[in-house]
Amino acid sequence: MTSFSSDTDIERIALGVIERTLPKPEWTHAAHFAAAFWVLRRPGMNAEADMPKLIRAYNLSTGVANSDSSGYHETITLASLRAARDWLEKRPETPLHTALNELLTSRYGRSDWLFEYWSKPVLFSVMARRAWIDPDLKPLPF
């Protein structure tokens, strides 16, 4: 489990993704949320529009194809952004690294949290990778 000690740690990851300089082994589940938190709190950025482009470009720069079986996944990205946005909206005065550490120790910090809402066949379908697919098990709480 990754823990962040400052907002600077989060900014380093976000800028590394934007500039495509983040070492590929550092692009973890926690790093995805770190970049999302940074973008969500960044004036002038639109997370739902910007994160997909950033992730796709970063993937390509590290040799990961964005295809029907690898790389960028639209439904996972947008669901994670919804979770991150909800988390941050409930903690408007909380430092970014503190809020992120709290999220990472919650159920949303687990990479399998999505299976409460989507079945594996639906979530891992080509359609869910390409475009938003509503949950098939129960609605998201945010």
Side-chain angles (χ1 to χ4, degrees):
M1 176 27 228
T2 301
S3 181
F4 297 90
S5 59
S6 71
D7 288 0
T8 303
D9 292 342
I10 294 168
E11 184 174 50
R12 182 188 69 77
I13 289 170
L15 293 176
V17 172
I18 290 168
E19 297 165 359
R20 300 179 197 118
T21 58
L22 183 73
K24 187 176 175 182
E26 292 184 38
W27 190 225
T28 63
H29 177 71
H32 279 73
F33 270 116
F37 268 43
W38 189 85
V39 168
L40 284 163
R41 283 244 179 118
R42 192 81 179 164
M45 293 193 83
N46 177 320
E48 289 75 14
D50 295 334
M51 284 300 295
K53 291 184 279 187
L54 293 172
I55 293 170
R56 285 184 184 108
Y58 177 80
N59 284 346
L60 291 175
S61 75
T62 60
V64 176
N66 296 303
S67 70
D68 287 345
S69 60
S70 71
Y72 180 74
H73 192 296
E74 179 81 355
T75 300
I76 291 174
T77 298
L78 295 182
S80 297
L81 284 172
R82 286 173 66 171
R85 182 184 302 284
D86 182 70
W87 196 268
L88 286 174
E89 285 175 354
K90 292 176 179 170
R91 295 158 180 80
E93 303 302 320
T94 304
L96 208 55
H97 72 281
T98 302
L100 180 56
N101 288 334
E102 291 171 354
L103 179 132
L104 292 173
T105 60
S106 78
R107 67 189 199 141
Y108 300 111
R110 298 173 46 102
S111 58
D112 64 354
W113 74 271
L114 297 158
F115 299 130
E116 185 177 337
Y117 304 95
W118 284 269
S119 64
K120 286 183 179 183
V122 169
L123 189 61
F124 292 136
S125 70
V126 171
M127 290 194 54
R129 183 174 286 281
R130 291 180 184 174
W132 172 261
I133 299 292
D134 287 326
D136 63 322
L137 299 178
K138 67 180 185 180
L140 289 172
F142 31 75

